[in-house]
Amino acid sequence: MSLAGGRNWRTVAVLLALSLAVIPLSLALGNIRVDYTLVTVAAGGAVLGIVCGVLGSFAVLRQQSLLGDALSHAALPGVALAFLLAGRELGWLLLGAGIASWLGVLLINSLVRRTRLKQDAAMGVVLTAFFALGITLLTYIQSRNDASQAGLDQFIFGQAAAIRRQDVVLISAVGLAAFLVLIALWKEFKLITFDPAFAQANGFPLRLLDVTLSTLIVIAIVLGLQLAGVVLMVGLLIAPAVAARQWTRQLDQMLALAGIFGGLAGAGGAIFSGLQQGLPTGPLIIVVAVAIVALSISLAPERGLLWRAWRQRRDRQRFAAQQVLQDIHRHATQHRDPRYPAPGGMLVALRGTLARPALRQLQREGLLQAGADDDWTLSERGLERAREAARNQLLWERYRQFGEELGLPSVTVDTQQPIDRLLPATALTRLETLD
Amino acid sequence: MNQTPALHIEDLTVAFDSRPALWDVDLVVPEGVLMAVVGPNGAGKTTLVRAALDLIPRAAGSVRIFGESVARARGLTGYVPQRSSVDWDFPTTVQDVVMMGLYGRLGWLRRPGAAERLRTRQALEQIGIADLATRQISQLSGGQQQRTFLARALVQDARVYFMDEPFAAVDAITERAIVTLLQELRARGRTVVVVHHDLQSVPDYFDQVTLLNVEVIASGPTAEVYSEDNLRRTFGGRVAGIARLTEEALP
Ligand SMILES: Nc1ncnc2c1ncn2[C@@H]1O[C@H](COP(=O)(O)OP(=O)(O)OP(=O)(O)O)[C@@H](O)[C@H]1O
Ligand SMILES: [Mg+2]
């Protein structure tokens, strides 16, 4: 669509390439032997990470990050009950988790609606109650000394090593279905996330869409439980979205990036935990995810801390250079000779410590010539540039004063921009011929 | 003169926590007028707009838009919510937000195409923010946010618009742009109901006015109902200079 959009898709592509490169690189550096189990575990982690990252973006944007936490904790008793009823079969365990999560949402919502509890308090109550029940049930199951119970506690902190090939297939199929729903309802989800009242006023069934989107988020949580565990699940849901938000100004790009980051965190965490028996996956996923968040917050263009500091510095230098160029031009005009040199000392007195680097930069760009005695003269191009800037300044000034009166189109006044680019030629002529 | 009114509200009561925010409101807005809704903070102005659009449940009463139920008249209504009602840090651009005004018409599964982009472009130009089309919405000033919302309402191409404080915290230039827009809408036979705070400008901008304080104090042509007495009853005499205000405004 726009230039900005194009550049950002390029950013997405670059980050995707980097993420894809990180995994073989770390395998090589860590001297890790690639075998069938490792590939399965990594694939499972990646798929889960992608699903959680993409759907988690909506949780973040709807400011429901904490709800995600409550939901994942609420899933635990469902897992335990499903095990008691149906045995250790992933499909059943996930179904149990999903139902328990859903009951959790309903309970939270009705607590908020029927009592004076605020949402955070309601979530706190439900989260702890369900989690406590889940732990109790798990302890009971373990006390039965049933061999098949082995690894059920992986649901607390996550255990990638337990993921089998058919699990990956199941997770991929459910994730794919969730994505199809997301694509089909894309504009509706976008609308209810940004402005639910406006969606309703346009006749969209807000409740139904709300429930559908929440269901997708619950699905992501449930799928991710085995890998990340109920305690840290929320991290896999939230962190990729938070990191992705730093890099882009478009929803579709944010979701794509969150998917990439989630995939990287999921695969990375799964591989690391596969290195050693019994290393829990959840915490390792969070370590990778948080590293991505930290990198994004400091490095991302526009929002990143380092980037902002760098731009501020660059802007200050650019403004100083512009001003120094104007100063020299004005000085020359006063002496009725466009090539009249300006003494460096005077410029420093006018613009302070930034004047020296500005002079050097202008000289590098061929806009200034240095005289023998710290004298500075405009070159042909420098003169042209200074005149152009002076004209731009003047036209903006006139636009600010008379634009309304002349009925010119309204644009945001930004004297750093060439006015020619923002106003049509006819409007410029009118401003130029003013007097 | 026995046209169906654009908006017809009868016996409307809305309550929050069993405290009425609107009490037994009757209101008729004829087609093609600009109507201001005026009242003190907490008078129920926003609630009135939201109830008229069926966004909140009613305790009693009915709302008809061009004689139809609100649900059936969705395609006829346009909405400019209070600016503060959304999170402006949402990752999207101005043109994207404006295009949201067309989603309702598009219906399920259809995506905006060339026709929608053209319509969006035109609305941005009409409101004077074409240069901001690809700007991230978190980088907008208050007045620019307001214009974005107005452009979004414009592409809805509604017959009756509801605007919640479109003039809040905008500068004089934006205010004039909005007034021009309102007049253009009226010239095209559209009806606009505007929640308004500046008592001074009511007689200049609006044909009709509703004075609201939980109940409707008065409603009708500005020249008839915008009187010192009615304002005093609406604001409980708390507004300094009400007398001066209406003397100046009304001959
Ligand atoms: N969601 C809500 N829950 C509880 N009370 C509400 C809710 N919305 C509004 N109210 C109450 O209803 C009354 C009317 O509110 P409303 O927002 O309609 O006022 P308003 O006239 O728009 O005020 P303002 O000029 O400040 O925008 C107020 O007393 C407010 O506290
Ligand atoms: Mg209000």
Side-chain angles (χ1 to χ4, degrees), chain A residues 403-421:
Chain A
E404 278 282 310
E405 215 172 292
L406 294 174
L408 300 184
S410 123
V411 297
T412 324
V413 173
D414 179 357
T415 53
Q416 296 304 318
Q417 296 251 15
I419 194 168
D420 306 56
R421 216 188 288 156

Side-chain angles (χ1 to χ4, degrees), chain A residues 331-361:
Chain A
H331 186 70
T333 312
Q334 275 162 13
H335 290 85
R336 294 163 204 287
D337 171 10
R339 296 306 170 84
Y340 197 90
M346 178 193 85
L347 297 167
V348 172
L350 270 173
R351 297 295 166 197
T353 51
L354 280 170
R356 287 286 166 203
L359 284 170
R360 278 196 296 278
Q361 192 192 327

